[in-house]
Amino acid sequence: NPLACVTARDVPAPALLAQPEGDAIVQLLSSGTTGKPKQIYLSLHSIDDLIERTRFQFSSGGMGENAPQILAWPLSSLGGTNAALPAASLGQTLVIQERFDAPRFLAQLRQYKPTFLSIPPPAMASLLQLNPMREDLASIELYFNGAAPLDPNVRTRMEEEYGLPVANAYGATEFAGIISSWVPEDFQYLKSKRGSCGRALPGMQLRIVAEESGTVLPAGETGLVE
């Protein structure tokens, strides 16, 4: 069946899972943005952190933590892992397509009315090509963009035609998930800081360093992110 609908209940907290720290339990293929795609092995500790960081995004503002989530990322990728595991731990209904199909996805939006949406930028563009009604997307409180830049024209249409706030997140398979993102308390700055990837999530530390020397730079300077 190309459409699966799953509800997880009474799932124990990740910290209760007993397995030696450091053991690889998930193997993913990187996307290639840091070089040739390669196998990345994630430990139980890394998966625990991934789940807790994503849960924090929901629980910090109650953003859709009990609402269904429609998954448009492959389960074999970081995007799928980063969506499916936290959804299971929150007891969310997870709707899964065998492969992305824009008309079917739009029908699922109408049926399940998720409050949170995260699909790849090309998928979002395909969805808008169907010219959905504004009420089709009315349940969505936020669209999280990741994996690639969102076409500015697509973003403008989302914001102006559908009133759909757009936030960027930053992560990588090599980081075991998202490391910086937006949380509800910061949504008031989405327009004034358009294009920002938000703040470092709990457990993450970011700094800006000079490209050649590696010296830590003060606020307001341009450099490389570490």
Side-chain angles (χ1 to χ4, degrees):
N1 187 344
L3 174 60
C5 196
V6 192
T7 300
R9 301 186 188 280
D10 301 322
V11 179
L16 300 179
L17 299 177
Q19 185 157 333
E21 183 175 321
D23 287 356
I25 62 169
V26 174
Q27 175 181 325
L28 298 173
L29 186 67
S30 68
S31 63
T33 53
T34 60
K36 185 178 179 180
K38 49 191 173 291
Q39 295 295 336
I40 305 295
Y41 296 90
L42 304 182
S43 68
L44 178 63
H45 178 73
S46 298
I47 292 297
D48 282 350
D49 285 348
L50 178 155
I51 291 173
E52 288 306 314
R53 290 197 300 273
T54 306
R55 283 171 62 102
F56 172 80
Q57 291 177 267
F58 285 104
S59 62
S60 60
M63 183 186 60
E65 53 188 306
N66 297 315
Q69 186 174 160
I70 306 174
L71 182 62
W73 301 89
L75 285 170
S76 58
S77 71
L78 175 70
T81 301
N82 200 84
L85 295 183
S89 73
L90 286 166
Q92 289 178 297
T93 297
L94 191 62
V95 183
I96 305 173
Q97 286 190 3
E98 183 177 10
R99 64 185 63 191
F100 181 75
D101 180 287
R104 176 172 287 178
F105 193 88
L106 180 56
Q108 291 169 349
L109 288 177
R110 292 168 176 153
Q111 178 179 355
Y112 295 102
K113 302 185 184 305
T115 58
F116 167 86
L117 182 62
S118 177
I119 60 177
M124 191 69 226
S126 297
L127 186 65
L128 293 187
Q129 286 179 355
L130 299 176
N131 296 313
M133 302 292 289
R134 189 181 177 99
E135 53 264 32
D136 293 334
L137 309 181
S139 66
I140 301 169
E141 298 176 10
L142 188 73
Y143 168 71
F144 263 116
N145 180 63
L150 183 65
D151 185 314
N153 294 325
V154 172
R155 176 167 188 157
T156 298
R157 187 180 178 198
M158 292 171 66
E159 293 172 334
E160 296 182 358
E161 187 171 338
Y162 295 97
L164 189 58
V166 178
N168 291 321
Y170 179 73
T173 313
E174 291 85 342
F175 305 154
I178 295 172
I179 61 171
S180 76
S181 187
W182 287 79
V183 294
E185 63 188 44
D186 290 334
F187 289 171
Q188 58 184 310
Y189 305 115
L190 278 173
K191 288 186 177 180
S192 61
K193 293 185 176 291
R194 198 173 194 257
S196 168
C197 289
R199 301 177 187 267
L201 293 176
M204 293 293 153
Q205 295 182 6
L206 303 178
R207 63 185 182 184
I208 307 299
V209 302
E211 184 169 357
E212 295 183 359
S213 66
T215 303
V216 178
L217 299 174
E221 298 293 325
T222 301
L224 298 178
V225 178
E226 286 190 342

